[in-house]
Amino acid sequence: MRSPSFFRRSALRLTTALATALALLSTAQPHAHAEGTQEPALVIEDNDFLGPGGSDIQSVIPLLANPHIKVLGFTVSTGDDWENAESAHLRRFLEIANKSEIPVADGAVYPLINSVPLMKLREQQFGRIPWKGAWGGLGSMDKVPDTQPDLPKLAEGAPKTPAAAESAALFMIRMVHEHPHQVTILEAGPMTNLALAIRLDPSFAATAKQLVFMGGLLDTNMMSITGNADFASDFNMIFDPEAAHITLTAPWASITVVGNISNDVMMTKDYMAKITKKATPVTGYLSKYYSPLPMWDEMAAAITADPSLVQQSVKAYMDIDISKGIHYGHAHVWPKDLAPRTMHVREVTIVQKIDAERFLTSFVQQAQSL
């Protein structure tokens, strides 16, 4: 038979346990609520921000205007223009959009190996490259300097906001380690900054959440004859093939390729007229510097912000040719059973179809909301 003191001690333990359980329940409820709250997705966009206006600058709109996206920063490298001009154009646009608090980190001024003399030699050997960005645009390379020139006067006015003190590669490394497995890298230009980050920190790619990039065009040789040769040229890969190879063979958790599909939607005058039906500083800027080009980078940014736009895709293994020949900088893909394992090629998801109507409707609303 148990003593009365035993029952008193048992009752006390039961009361204590019940109080503890109730306390845990009361504190767990807010925690459960916090878990149910959707935190914004973290994104860094690396790009060669040719400006003013155009696809490069316009690519920031689907990120800035999406409440479910937090842009940690933008990083810049030479490509479509020289790095110093790109940085200034982007910082000026962010001021116009009242988003100048987002840091812009300047990055690579030159590709890892490619250079003005090497690209001139390549044109002599294998024919003219349609678009050469900072190194001659659509024209001749004859008067292109080998080094970055001084910053020119900007048509839209000089920015008052300075660039971040930190370099692009170091900024990206720091961000992915501060937010492990949470940061999506959107790459819409040459991959020089990413390659530098990967070489500085071999854990960088694996610590990021994923890579989404615009480029990796496939089977566009005939398009250069029957269509627009510039649109068939994979400039982001051609400008710095070694950087693209380093990036695409790094251990990312996933890689999404916005390649051929990015040519399918054009920025037309009629479409721009829809955007400018609402007059704001941003829509006025877009109209003034309108460029009738495919919405290459805007599409990649929209897919980054809203992956549900993708309606069809295919898995493949991809790498960039870095041999010094006619295919230098061109993408190549393999099915899984034929992929060369010794080259460390990785599986990618190639976007084949998107909801173009929803993409265009959303972009109008986003541009008008800034």
Side-chain angles (χ1 to χ4, degrees):
M1 182 176 178
R2 306 288 187 183
S3 66
S5 61
F6 170 84
F7 290 107
R8 285 196 297 272
R9 289 195 302 273
S10 298
L12 179 61
R13 285 196 295 269
L14 180 61
T15 302
T16 303
L18 181 60
T20 302
L22 288 172
L24 287 172
L25 285 172
S26 64
T27 57
Q29 196 162 3
H31 179 66
H33 176 73
E35 286 184 343
T37 302
Q38 183 182 6
E39 294 294 327
L42 306 180
V43 175
I44 296 172
E45 180 182 353
D46 184 67
N47 206 341
D48 50 345
F49 290 97
L50 176 66
S55 184
D56 296 314
I57 295 290
Q58 289 163 186
S59 68
V60 308
I61 291 171
L63 304 178
L64 298 180
N66 190 318
H68 303 298
I69 297 294
K70 179 179 180 181
V71 180
L72 296 176
F74 297 102
T75 53
V76 182
S77 70
T78 292
D80 283 336
D81 200 350
W82 289 100
E83 176 266 351
N84 57 354
E86 294 170 347
S87 174
H89 285 301
L90 174 60
R91 285 181 279 124
R92 180 62 188 130
F93 177 77
L94 292 176
E95 291 174 348
I96 292 169
N98 290 315
K99 298 289 184 179
S100 58
E101 75 280 3
I102 300 174
V104 175
D106 293 350
V109 176
Y110 308 105
L112 299 183
I113 294 175
N114 198 19
S115 64
V116 171
L118 285 175
M119 188 170 274
K120 286 180 179 178
L121 177 62
R122 181 181 176 184
E123 284 201 324
Q124 292 169 6
Q125 292 175 323
F126 303 113
R128 189 172 64 83
I129 298 168
W131 172 255
K132 292 171 285 288
W135 298 349
L138 290 170
S140 169
M141 296 186 69
D142 291 345
K143 297 182 180 179
V144 176
D146 293 352
T147 58
Q148 177 168 267
D150 293 337
L151 180 66
K153 183 177 180 181
L154 273 60
E156 69 275 35
K160 297 179 180 178
T161 310
E166 200 170 18
S167 71
L170 293 179
F171 173 80
M172 289 192 285
I173 290 170
R174 181 169 63 85
M175 287 294 102
V176 300
H177 285 288
E178 286 185 8
H179 309 280
H181 312 297
Q182 298 178 62
V183 180
T184 293
I185 304 295
L186 166 60
E187 178 58 79
M191 296 183 173
T192 317
N193 288 333
L194 291 184
L196 291 172
I198 290 163
R199 285 298 189 250
L200 286 168
D201 176 12
S203 70
F204 167 73
T207 309
K209 180 180 179 180
Q210 62 177 330
L211 170 67
V212 180
F213 79 94
M214 200 295 288
L217 302 184
L218 299 166
D219 304 321
T220 59
N221 194 219
M222 194 58 152
M223 180 182 170
S224 67
I225 298 171
T226 61
N228 188 314
D230 176 24
F231 300 169
S233 175
D234 202 357
F235 175 75
N236 288 347
M237 305 298 103
I238 290 171
F239 194 75
D240 195 342
E242 287 77 14
H245 167 71
I246 290 169
T247 300
L248 294 183
T249 54
W252 303 92
S254 70
I255 301 175
T256 300
V257 183
V258 186
N260 295 38
I261 184 71
S262 66
N263 274 312
D264 289 357
V265 180
M266 289 286 295
M267 174 63 76
T268 65
K269 286 186 177 180
D270 289 343
Y271 181 65
M272 181 58 74
K274 292 181 181 180
I275 294 173
T276 55
K277 281 184 178 180
K278 181 177 179 180
T280 71
V282 167
T283 61
Y285 170 98
L286 297 179
S287 177
K288 184 174 182 178
Y289 302 112
Y290 160 76
S291 295
L293 295 170
M295 297 178 72
W296 297 301
D297 297 356
E298 300 97 323
M299 184 183 293
I303 290 170
T304 300
D306 182 7
S308 70
L309 284 169
V310 178
Q311 296 180 322
Q312 183 177 328
S313 63
V314 64
K315 301 285 188 181
Y317 286 74
M318 176 178 281
D319 198 5
I320 302 301
D321 193 336
I322 57 172
S323 60
K324 294 299 194 295
I326 196 168
H327 299 298
Y328 180 55
H330 289 201
H332 191 84
V333 291
W334 299 265
K336 183 176 182 180
D337 60 337
L338 298 180
R341 303 300 178 185
T342 56
M343 291 169 57
H344 305 291
V345 294
R346 298 188 179 275
E347 186 179 64
V348 302
T349 300
I350 302 172
V351 178
Q352 295 176 296
K353 183 180 179 182
I354 69 162
D355 187 339
E357 183 178 352
R358 184 155 66 89
F359 162 57
L360 289 169
T361 300
S362 297
F363 188 84
V364 170
Q365 296 168 348
Q366 291 162 347
Q368 292 175 344
S369 72
L370 293 176

